[in-house]
Amino acid sequence: MVRSQVGRAGGVLAWALLASLQAAAAPAPDPAAQVTALADEYVALILQADPTPAYYDTLPLKRHDYLPRNSAADRARFDAGEDAIWRKFQTIDASALREDRGAELVHAQMREFLETSRALRVCKAWEWNVNHMFGWQNTFTELAARQPVSTPQLREQALARWSSLPAFIDTEIANLREGVQDGRTAPKPVVARVVKQVDGLLAVAPRESPLFAPAREAKDAAFSRQFEALITDKIQPALKRYRDFLANEYQPRARDTLGLSAMPDGEACYRAQLRQYTTLDRAPKDVFALGEKTVNANVVAVQEIGQSLFGTRDLKAIVKRVDEAPDNRFASADEQLAFSRQLLDSAREKSAPFFSTMPKQPAIVEPLKPEQRNTGVSSHYEPQPDESKPGVYRANLDHPDADRRGAAEITLVHETWPGHHLQIALARTLGERHPMSVLTFNSAYVEGWARYSEALSEEAGIYTTPYARISRRLWPARGMVADPGIHVLGWTREQATAYMAESGRFSPEMAAELVDRIAAMPGQLTAYDSGGLEIVALRNQAQAALGADFDLRQFHDQVLGDGVVPLRFLRERVEAWIAQRKAQAKTAR
């Protein structure tokens, strides 16, 4: 008995020795290869859950026959896959990536995406997914416009995708009912705006519907008949079910308050939303305090400009003069659209000296889509991954009597040159990027660059009115105050609307629309100045450190040179460039 156990123990030791020798002989895992493989896995998981990002940039989507997955089983499957990836991600030695910039970038982007996505689970967003800004009733019309239909196989996939829309809608209704039971609902004003948008989809004939876009593009008579029948017999009845559910069952039970703090885990959810949009782990009260500090500094700057232009430092008087100036007004929506279109080419030309490279892809200005008009949808930019086609700035022309030329100029540069369009189009010229780098959008970087561009446009001489100088200072950072004010500090709708209108940038009606936007997209409005202030701080830091050696175009190369990145990674990149430039200057001396 004793002898047998000794023999077995010796065998175990021999096998252990052999295994250790084999492990020593095997090459250590390559951290860069680990990152790439894991990023491949994560991109596949994300696109399996939601294909829509693939239509806004180049991503490896092999099928076009499914909509975003919105069932409980789908969510559980995604969460399990994401958790497995997170466990493997934590084993990667990030310090070993410092010599491989591409892998280091993907690692940083992936960490941000994973940490943010897992933290957002506390929100249970599917339970209150009613959103007039980027709800499915809006994004699906754009998805339909981008549906590939050039071959018979692709047209079959299109029919399969849109045949699943009624089931998607019924699942949305079930999810919202679950939310009502759990005490999670969208605010009443947001619900009312979504009902109006769905009414717009139902008001048009099937062949005029934005969802008929695949059939219009295909130019295939048989396919068109099938698609028309699909919209008539299945999609429109499902839309009607959703509309009636919202108006009759959901709206009476929707919340009267705007803030997330009214819902279970609301404050934790808001903290996670802030992290998602800003990539910064800041407490809401710290965002609020920084916003107030910035707003106060901007008011002082406006008072100085008001003294110069109007002979007064009184803020209300300055706002009134800007608002009532005859040469700051539009006579019609057509005039407002023409004004923005005329400024577009000049904005591109005057931006060019500030950049080493300008993207060739053009931009155009178009009105909001018909079903979006008068529903509170803001002006926005729609990227176009096909560089032979222009990126589209969708201008909200709902209130030409209340909009002002100075404000329209600011929005134009924010959305096109040198703002969103320049940044997004330039990112496509950076060479081959991992799809993870394309997928990891964050508002703090993208909107932060656009906010910075508003100030850069003043340097570039793009603005044609003196009023833009005032308007662009009156509005920034108010979102950093009002957003946490609404969601965690108990601000009322009236209080927030008055605070927004005080800036003079928006009429009371437009300010109310902005407040509903904050209600629908908690945290998003803090991202603009979270990112913009960071870029300005980095520029000031670089100018102070480099002095006469500072080159603004090179600074912009650093800010734009990796595409969309978390703000922490952006700071690391710029500070490394500053150190490198200082070392080069010292060597040259």
Side-chain angles (χ1 to χ4, degrees):
M1 183 70 178
V2 173
R3 185 175 179 180
S4 173
Q5 289 177 339
V6 170
R8 182 174 296 174
V12 169
L13 290 172
W15 277 109
L17 178 60
L18 178 61
S20 65
L21 290 172
Q22 289 175 334
D30 177 9
Q34 287 180 291
V35 169
T36 300
L38 208 52
D40 289 345
E41 185 179 344
Y42 198 22
V43 169
L45 180 71
I46 292 167
L47 292 181
Q48 184 182 37
D50 182 358
T52 53
Y55 299 97
Y56 293 88
D57 217 313
T58 304
L59 288 168
L61 187 66
K62 297 179 180 179
R63 293 169 42 212
H64 306 275
D65 59 353
Y66 64 101
L67 292 169
R69 322 283 191 181
N70 63 343
S71 74
D74 293 324
R75 289 192 299 274
R77 190 161 39 248
F78 179 85
D79 289 351
E82 189 174 59
D83 287 343
I85 290 170
W86 173 245
R87 288 190 293 271
K88 288 184 278 188
F89 180 84
Q90 291 179 294
T91 67
I92 297 173
D93 180 8
S95 65
L97 301 173
R98 289 174 185 156
E99 300 303 315
D100 188 328
R101 181 145 194 88
E104 186 182 34
L105 171 61
V106 172
H107 185 273
Q109 291 168 323
M110 195 170 173
R111 173 178 290 281
E112 185 65 33
F113 205 113
L114 279 163
E115 291 181 347
T116 298
S117 178
R118 297 174 78 248
L120 282 169
R121 294 178 194 172
V122 70
C123 295
K124 296 189 174 181
W126 65 89
E127 291 192 343
W128 47 285
N129 184 33
V130 181
N131 186 322
H132 67 289
M133 291 298 299
F134 292 104
W136 64 264
Q137 74 283 351
N138 287 328
T139 58
F140 281 12
T141 62
E142 186 61 29
L143 180 61
R146 297 175 186 237
Q147 177 81 40
V149 289
S150 59
T151 68
Q153 292 77 17
L154 287 172
R155 292 194 282 279
E156 285 181 13
Q157 290 185 30
L159 285 168
R161 167 175 283 165
W162 297 104
S163 293
S164 71
L165 179 54
F168 175 95
I169 291 173
D170 289 338
T171 302
E172 283 296 296
I173 292 172
N175 289 340
L176 294 176
R177 283 185 173 133
E178 180 185 341
V180 170
Q181 294 300 317
D182 289 349
R184 292 184 177 87
T185 59
K188 280 185 167 68
V190 172
V191 179
R193 293 185 185 278
V194 173
V195 169
K196 190 172 183 179
Q197 291 174 344
V198 180
D199 281 340
L201 291 173
L202 288 167
V204 295
R207 284 181 174 261
E208 302 303 317
S209 171
L211 296 173
F212 192 70
R216 281 191 290 271
E217 176 67 20
K219 298 178 176 59
D220 178 322
F223 178 68
S224 293
R225 287 192 296 271
Q226 287 178 289
F227 220 90
E228 182 180 16
L230 172 60
I231 293 176
T232 302
D233 299 337
K234 294 183 179 180
I235 292 178
Q236 284 188 330
L239 288 171
K240 183 70 164 53
R241 285 197 301 276
Y242 182 71
R243 185 257 176 227
D244 290 345
F245 162 76
L246 287 183
N248 301 327
E249 179 181 336
Y250 190 79
Q251 174 115 19
R253 305 176 74 179
R255 57 187 154 103
D256 296 305
T257 56
L258 298 180
L260 282 184
S261 57
M263 296 199 298
D265 300 313
E267 291 195 22
C269 174
Y270 186 64
R271 182 79 179 244
Q273 294 272 5
L274 282 180
R275 169 68 186 274
Q276 175 195 22
Y277 285 120
T278 69
T279 71
L280 300 172
D281 191 18
R282 278 181 181 156
K285 63 181 179 58
D286 294 333
V287 175
F288 184 91
L290 178 57
E292 276 200 318
K293 178 182 177 182
T294 306
V295 168
N296 292 337
N298 286 341
V299 167
V300 171
V302 166
Q303 289 173 324
E304 293 175 357
I305 298 172
Q307 182 67 44
S308 173
L309 287 179
F310 306 129
T312 180
R313 296 181 65 85
D314 181 78
L315 187 63
K316 288 185 177 179
I318 294 168
V319 169
K320 190 171 187 291
R321 291 285 294 271
V322 169
D323 183 61
E324 295 179 351
D327 60 341
N328 197 27
R329 289 177 171 262
F330 294 110
S332 66
D334 288 342
E335 183 183 17
Q336 184 179 352
L337 180 61
F339 176 79
S340 295
R341 284 174 170 169
Q342 289 167 3
L343 187 61
L344 188 65
D345 288 340
S346 173
R348 187 191 191 286
E349 179 183 348
K350 291 182 177 180
S351 297
F354 293 82
F355 300 92
S356 301
T357 304
M358 291 288 283
K360 294 180 180 179
Q361 185 181 31
I364 58 174
V365 184
E366 296 290 344
L368 292 178
K369 296 175 182 178
E371 68 274 8
Q372 296 174 337
R373 295 171 193 170
N374 296 300
T375 66
V377 174
S378 303
S379 298
H380 58 276
Y381 176 71
E382 293 176 354
Q384 173 53 256
D386 183 349
E387 294 185 18
S388 67
K389 298 177 182 178
V392 181
Y393 159 37
R394 294 277 179 190
N396 182 320
L397 307 175
D398 293 342
H399 310 290
D401 56 328
D403 281 333
R404 298 294 179 261
R405 289 174 180 261
E409 291 187 297
I410 297 164
T411 308
L412 182 282
V413 301
H414 181 104
E415 303 293 346
T416 61
W417 311 98
H420 286 325
H421 178 70
L422 182 147
Q423 181 267 311
I424 292 171
L426 192 62
R428 294 198 188 96
T429 70
L430 296 177
E432 186 175 352
R433 294 180 293 160
H434 192 280
M436 195 75 224
S437 294
V438 176
L439 199 57
T440 50
F441 175 94
N442 76 75
S443 290
Y445 178 89
V446 175
E447 300 296 355
W449 172 260
R451 176 72 86 226
Y452 168 79
S453 294
E454 295 172 14
L456 185 66
S457 296
E458 189 170 308
E459 291 182 62
I462 294 173
Y463 298 130
T464 65
T465 75
Y467 312 112
R469 293 177 58 207
I470 293 175
S471 294
R472 82 161 188 84
R473 290 172 172 84
L474 275 171
W475 162 238
R478 287 181 182 266
M480 295 181 78
V481 178
D483 201 304
I486 287 170
H487 286 294
V488 296
L489 299 178
W491 280 28
T492 64
R493 179 183 175 81
E494 293 71 25
Q495 182 181 2
T497 300
Y499 182 75
M500 295 302 196
E502 181 185 69
S503 71
R505 178 79 178 268
F506 308 101
S507 67
E509 183 179 12
M510 295 166 68
E513 290 179 352
L514 200 58
V515 168
D516 286 346
R517 169 180 166 170
I518 292 173
M521 303 174 67
Q524 196 268 345
L525 212 59
T526 72
Y528 294 70
D529 294 286
S530 295
L533 290 171
E534 181 71 356
I535 294 172
V536 169
L538 289 170
R539 176 171 165 174
N540 291 340
Q541 181 178 337
Q543 286 178 301
L546 300 179
D549 291 326
F550 176 78
D551 185 306
L552 183 56
R553 291 187 301 176
Q554 290 183 12
F555 171 75
H556 289 157
D557 287 344
Q558 301 307 309
V559 174
L560 298 171
D562 285 318
V564 179
V565 296
L567 292 185
R568 289 173 293 176
F569 187 87
L570 177 64
R571 173 165 285 279
E572 291 171 6
R573 177 180 173 88
V574 172
E575 289 182 341
W577 170 72
I578 293 171
Q580 181 186 48
R581 294 283 292 135
K582 287 177 70 174
Q584 290 171 344
K586 185 177 180 180
T587 301
R589 294 191 191 100

